[in-house]
Amino acid sequence: MRLRGVKSVLLVVVLAGSLLLPVAPVSAAQSGKVCKKVGATSTDKSRGKTVKLICAKVGKKLLWVALTETVGQRNARKTAQSYLRSSSFSRSELILLLWYVGGFTQSEAEYAADAAGLWTTVAPTTTVPRTTTVATTTTLPRTTTTTTVALIETVSQRNARRSAQSYLNIMAFSRTGLIKQLEFEGYSTLDATYGVDAQNANWNNQAKKSAQSYLDIMAFSRTGLIKQLEFEGYSTSEAAYGVDALNTNWNEQAKKSAQSYLDNSSFSRSGLIDQLLYEGFTQGQAEYGVNSVGL
């Protein structure tokens, strides 16, 4: 059974007084210790007491956080880490895999998915005090804790992102065209989509570059070039933007196209005008092109 991962996102989860990971208070000796890999575990024996630690992202740093877990939770977490080393999964897919295939309970599977290092539960970063007045003289404090959960980029997603960047460094692509290219290279649709969207590319500018590349090698009418870009995967609006951004002289394109036809075949004046109209040139542009080549 193989389930595939999903695009990485940044989620902000507002929880009331609890975290996704069961964490114990961190001693002064433990706090501030830097770790290197999210989801890694260790122990701390300061003050004569052994405390289980897990590496979590706190703010912009990776720090050790005290962790308490049951045997079932620990086994589920280790199994989840094993699955994630061989493939990419969304949280829900990983929970289902642990539940149905691994044989863990739903709560253990959910715990493991959150603790395995794919999603990082961060220590509280913002506490907003609120008060509730009881009767007329007693005020009880209440707090709302904001916890950030960050989704870590998988190896396959990172590779897809790098491949997409390499392609865009050498030539222009539409979003759809680049996704298909990455799929052709063997990436899953989800990883290819992630890699392409991670570029934050301006697809209008990519359409402009593609349009210029086509005009550098042959003549096109405006309509014909827009259709060519649409065939390459650009939307109609992107294709139109790319073509119009070049401020091309379509009369000259009609002239080049007419000459190209005459270099390869014989045409009557009316026949060549009809051919240019078929290629998408207007009546005026077609007649200009034919007149320019002497017919």
Side-chain angles (χ1 to χ4, degrees):
M1 176 178 179
R2 176 179 172 83
L3 300 175
R4 298 186 179 182
V6 295
K7 175 182 174 184
S8 295
V9 293
L10 182 67
L11 303 175
V12 175
V13 179
V14 179
L15 304 176
S18 64
L19 300 177
L20 292 178
L21 296 181
V23 293
V26 181
S27 69
Q30 297 162 348
S31 64
K33 288 185 178 180
V34 177
C35 54
K36 296 182 178 180
K37 184 178 180 181
V38 171
T41 59
S42 183
T43 56
D44 184 272
K45 297 182 179 181
S46 62
R47 300 183 179 181
K49 182 180 180 181
T50 300
V51 178
K52 185 82 171 183
L53 304 176
I54 188 168
C55 185
K57 188 175 182 183
V58 181
K60 295 184 178 180
K61 297 181 180 180
L62 293 180
L63 300 177
W64 289 112
V65 176
L67 172 67
T68 58
E69 62 182 5
T70 66
V71 174
Q73 288 173 332
R74 182 179 70 250
N75 292 338
R77 173 173 54 80
K78 291 181 177 180
T79 301
Q81 290 172 329
S82 176
Y83 287 149
L84 291 172
R85 281 194 291 269
S86 61
S87 188
S88 56
F89 299 91
S90 67
R91 180 179 183 276
S92 59
E93 288 170 342
L94 185 56
I95 289 172
L96 287 174
L97 189 61
L98 290 169
W99 190 8
Y100 288 109
V101 180
F104 296 99
T105 66
Q106 183 174 356
S107 62
E108 289 170 343
E110 291 175 347
Y111 165 82
D114 292 325
L118 182 62
W119 292 267
T120 305
T121 300
V122 187
T125 58
T126 304
T127 300
V128 182
R130 291 162 56 178
T131 61
T132 300
T133 301
V134 180
T136 59
T137 59
T138 304
T139 300
L140 300 178
R142 296 176 56 191
T143 60
T144 298
T145 301
T146 300
T147 300
T148 302
V149 180
L151 186 61
I152 307 303
E153 185 180 60
T154 66
V155 174
S156 58
Q157 288 172 335
R158 182 180 70 245
N159 292 339
R161 173 173 54 78
R162 290 176 176 176
S163 293
Q165 183 61 63
S166 296
Y167 277 117
L168 290 177
N169 286 339
I170 59 175
M171 64 184 297
F173 280 89
S174 67
R175 178 180 181 275
T176 300
L178 188 51
I179 289 174
K180 289 182 178 179
Q181 180 63 34
L182 293 183
E183 289 176 332
F184 178 78
E185 295 294 330
Y187 292 102
S188 70
T189 300
L190 291 174
D191 286 339
T193 301
Y194 168 84
V196 171
D197 290 341
Q199 306 307 313
N200 293 317
N202 186 321
W203 302 115
N204 282 336
N205 286 342
Q206 290 295 308
K208 178 181 177 181
K209 292 178 181 179
S210 290
Q212 185 62 64
S213 295
Y214 278 115
L215 291 178
D216 287 342
I217 58 175
M218 64 185 298
F220 280 88
S221 66
R222 178 183 182 274
T223 300
L225 187 52
I226 288 175
K227 288 181 178 180
Q228 181 62 36
L229 294 183
E230 288 176 336
F231 178 79
E232 295 294 331
Y234 292 102
S235 67
T236 300
S237 61
E238 290 166 350
Y241 174 91
V243 171
D244 292 338
L246 299 178
N247 296 316
T248 304
N249 186 324
W250 301 113
N251 282 336
E252 289 300 310
Q253 289 296 306
K255 176 183 176 181
K256 291 179 181 179
S257 188
Q259 187 61 60
S260 176
Y261 279 118
L262 289 178
D263 289 342
N264 294 282
S265 186
S266 299
F267 283 87
S268 65
R269 173 181 170 81
S270 62
L272 187 53
I273 288 176
D274 287 342
Q275 183 61 37
L276 294 180
L277 290 173
Y278 178 78
E279 295 294 332
F281 292 101
T282 65
Q283 183 72 35
Q285 292 164 354
E287 291 178 355
Y288 176 90
V290 170
N291 291 337
S292 298
V293 296
L295 284 183

